[in-house]
């Protein structure tokens, strides 16, 4: 009943992940609309948002949905809110998140030297390719190479984890602080509208006084 008449192709799905059909502004408005209408307590929705935002600052690309759901479950947050909040991490924001996280992590670890976003993501792609090559080498004649992966882990991935955790905790706490009152205000306004509607129906259903 709710399925598309013409299912999207994998190419369309990938394209929508990079740039939604209606634009990122419309996609963001849709996410906020869905968050406000979630049938749950404001504090649980706030925790879910915090979980999704926090996970968006971690370098576990490809596992953000699962990680956000698990994190929300652990802290008693709304899982759907957590999944929606991972929208914070998108192709537009990821370069800024990566640059800030890696830079902060390298400073904390005493590594020094800022790395540009294109270099960081290039190294992620190279590390993924080498990991896949090493896995295939177990079943074939190729030789595994782990040296670059070790450098990648200590120079980029671990600083990303350290810096992203610190920034993610701060931003997720701020997100929770801002989300809860917004959801509460929306629920109060919706409850008031519902009460007014019920009152109007009751007044309309009362019998008219002939002597009036």
């Amino acid at each position: 009943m709710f399925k598309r008449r013409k299912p999207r192709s994998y190419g369309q799905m990938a394209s929508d992940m990079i740039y939604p059909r209606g634009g990122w502004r419309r996609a963001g408005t849709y996410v906020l609309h869905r968050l406000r209408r979630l049938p749950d307590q404001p504090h649980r929705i706030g925790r879910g948002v915090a979980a999704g935002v926090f996970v968006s600052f971690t370098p576990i690309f490809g596992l953000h949905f699962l990680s956000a759901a698990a994190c929300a479950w652990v802290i008693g947050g709304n899982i759907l809110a957590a999944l929606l909040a991972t929208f914070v991490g998108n192709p537009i924001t990821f370069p800024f998140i990566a640059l800030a996280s890696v830079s902060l992590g390298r400073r904390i670890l005493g590594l020094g030297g800022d790395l540009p976003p294109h270099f960081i993501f290039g190294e992620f792609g190279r590390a993924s390719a080498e990991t896949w090559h090493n896995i295939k080498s177990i079943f074939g004649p190729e030789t595994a190479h782990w040296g670059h992966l070790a450098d990648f882990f200590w120079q980029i991935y671990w600083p990303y984890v350290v810096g992203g955790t610190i920034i993610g905790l701060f931003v997720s706490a701020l997100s929770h602080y801002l989300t809860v009152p917004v959801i509460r205000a929306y629920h109060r306004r919706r409850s008031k509208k519902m009460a007014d509607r019920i009152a109007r129906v009751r007044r309309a259903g009362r019998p008219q006084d002939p002597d009036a």
Side-chain angles (χ1 to χ4, degrees), residues 24 26-27 37 42 50 52 59 66 69 71-72 89 113 135 137-138 142 182 186 204 212:
W24 284 108
R26 182 177 178 182
R37 295 181 65 87
L66 291 177
C71 186
I135 293 174
S137 67
I138 299 175
E142 294 88 355
V182 171
Y186 176 78

Side-chain angles (χ1 to χ4, degrees), residues 8-24 91:
R8 292 185 302 171
S9 65
Y10 290 110
Q12 289 174 327
M13 292 180 185
S15 176
D16 287 346
M17 290 180 65
I18 297 174
Y19 188 81
R21 188 171 303 176
W24 284 108

Side-chain angles (χ1 to χ4, degrees), residues 14 22 44 46 55 59 72 105 108 114 119 122 145-146 166 176 178 181 183 209:
R44 282 180 48 82
V55 167
I108 292 175
D114 293 334
F119 177 80
H145 303 285
W146 298 100
I166 295 173
H176 180 273
L178 295 175
I183 300 299
D209 187 353

Side-chain angles (χ1 to χ4, degrees), residues 14 47 58 60 67 69 76 79 82 87 98 100 133 151-152 212:
R47 291 176 186 176
T58 62
I60 47 176
S67 301
I79 293 179
F87 173 80
H133 169 81
D151 290 339
F152 166 77

